[in-house]
């Protein structure tokens, strides 16, 4: 049971996390937190940006009390973002400081990191390249690294045709159960 002090700490964290720039809605952030509370083990996030989603996933891990790690993978060079190319790594580190014991940043392209990533994964959040080729490459490289029953979450299914197509062709056919918000999809594989 969560004490009043813990509830106050959580509320303060939410206010701080909600100040981090993101394209996630409040409902999507809370869904990431909820889903991450249900999983124990190795977490991977592809496309960490400024760290908002990273913080909500890490907060779910923290609230669950489970000993888990979140590997955040990004170039932090803003290649796919509308505001243009810039190095956002320092802002990510500052935004995720409260979770430095949970979050392990891995700087580089997801497909390069996948080649040497040796751990089995229990939760993966993909919010990187939204082109069909980019999403397909991430799914093809990372799904074989998932444990049976792992959770896969993809952002921007509401508008990104690449995400929609990969979910329809590659993930939905092997999903044991699925869920969806307008722009967030998850499945247990």
């Amino acid at each position: 049971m969560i004490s009043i002090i813990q509830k106050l700490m959580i509320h303060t964290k939410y206010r701080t996390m909600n100040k981090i720039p993101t394209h996630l809605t409040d409902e999507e952030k809370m869904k990431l937190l909820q889903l991450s509370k249900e999983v124990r083990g190795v977490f991977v996030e592809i496309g960490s940006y400024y760290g908002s989603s990273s913080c909500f996933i890490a907060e779910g891990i923290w609230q669950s009390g489970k000993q888990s790690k979140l590997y955040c993978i990004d170039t932090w060079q803003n290649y796919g973002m509308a505001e243009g190319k810039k190095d956002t790594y320092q802002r990510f580190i500052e935004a995720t400081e409260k979770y430095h014991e949970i979050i392990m940043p891995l700087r580089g392209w997801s497909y390069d990191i996948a080649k040497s990533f040796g751990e089995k994964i229990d939760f993966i959040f993909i919010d990187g390249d939204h082109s069909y080729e980019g999403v397909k490459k991430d799914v093809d490289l990372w799904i074989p690294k998932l444990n049976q029953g792992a959770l896969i979450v993809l952002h921007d299914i509401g508008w990104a045709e690449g995400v929609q197509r990969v979910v329809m062709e590659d993930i939905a056919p092997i999903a044991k159960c699925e869920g969806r918000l307008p722009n967030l999809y998850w499945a247990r594989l």
Side-chain angles (χ1 to χ4, degrees):
M1 182 143 170
I2 297 178
S3 72
I4 299 291
I5 293 172
Q6 287 174 313
K7 285 181 182 178
L8 181 60
M9 287 173 52
I10 291 168
H11 179 69
T12 302
K13 284 183 194 177
Y14 290 155
R15 280 198 327 253
T16 302
M17 291 186 307
N18 272 329
K19 292 179 182 175
I20 302 169
T22 184
H23 296 282
L24 294 167
T25 65
D26 288 343
E27 187 178 23
E28 292 167 346
K29 292 180 219 173
M30 295 312 295
K31 180 51 79 173
L32 282 175
L33 189 150
Q34 175 199 356
L35 291 170
S36 64
K37 284 170 67 171
E38 298 171 5
V39 176
R40 177 184 181 161
V42 175
F43 290 67
V44 169
E45 175 185 43
I46 298 170
S48 300
Y49 193 41
Y50 288 125
S52 178
S53 52
S54 312
C55 286
F56 279 90
I57 295 168
E59 179 64 21
I61 293 168
W62 179 81
Q63 284 184 26
S64 75
K66 298 172 183 162
Q67 297 298 314
S68 298
K69 290 286 183 198
L70 168 59
Y71 294 92
C72 294
I73 300 168
D74 205 312
T75 62
W76 286 284
Q77 293 297 314
N78 245 30
Y79 290 110
M81 303 309 288
E83 66 266 22
K85 189 173 185 263
K86 63 182 174 181
D87 193 313
T88 59
Y89 185 69
Q90 190 56 42
R91 283 192 66 187
F92 169 84
I93 293 298
E94 291 165 6
T96 60
E97 174 57 30
K98 288 184 178 93
Y99 301 103
H100 72 275
E101 293 180 4
I102 295 172
I103 292 176
M104 311 291 290
L106 299 174
R107 194 167 189 174
W109 294 100
S110 63
Y111 46 84
D112 288 334
I113 292 170
K115 293 173 188 170
S116 61
F117 194 87
E119 296 191 55
K120 293 301 275 182
I121 301 164
D122 302 286
F123 179 109
I124 188 165
F125 176 50
I126 300 175
D127 193 15
D129 182 347
H130 291 16
S131 69
Y132 172 75
E133 296 76 18
V135 180
K136 176 78 170 144
K137 192 172 194 177
D138 278 337
V139 166
D140 286 350
L141 288 169
W142 289 95
I143 280 187
K145 298 177 182 298
L146 299 181
N147 277 319
Q148 185 173 358
L151 196 61
I152 184 168
V153 183
L154 291 99
H155 191 236
D156 293 323
I157 192 166
W159 64 267
E161 291 178 16
V163 176
Q164 294 167 355
R165 184 173 166 195
V166 171
V167 165
M168 184 179 64
E169 293 176 359
D170 297 298
I171 298 170
I174 61 171
K176 293 183 177 129
C177 63
E178 301 170 284
R180 183 166 174 184
L181 293 173
N183 207 29
L184 190 73
Y185 168 88
W186 60 94
R188 196 159 295 278
L189 305 181

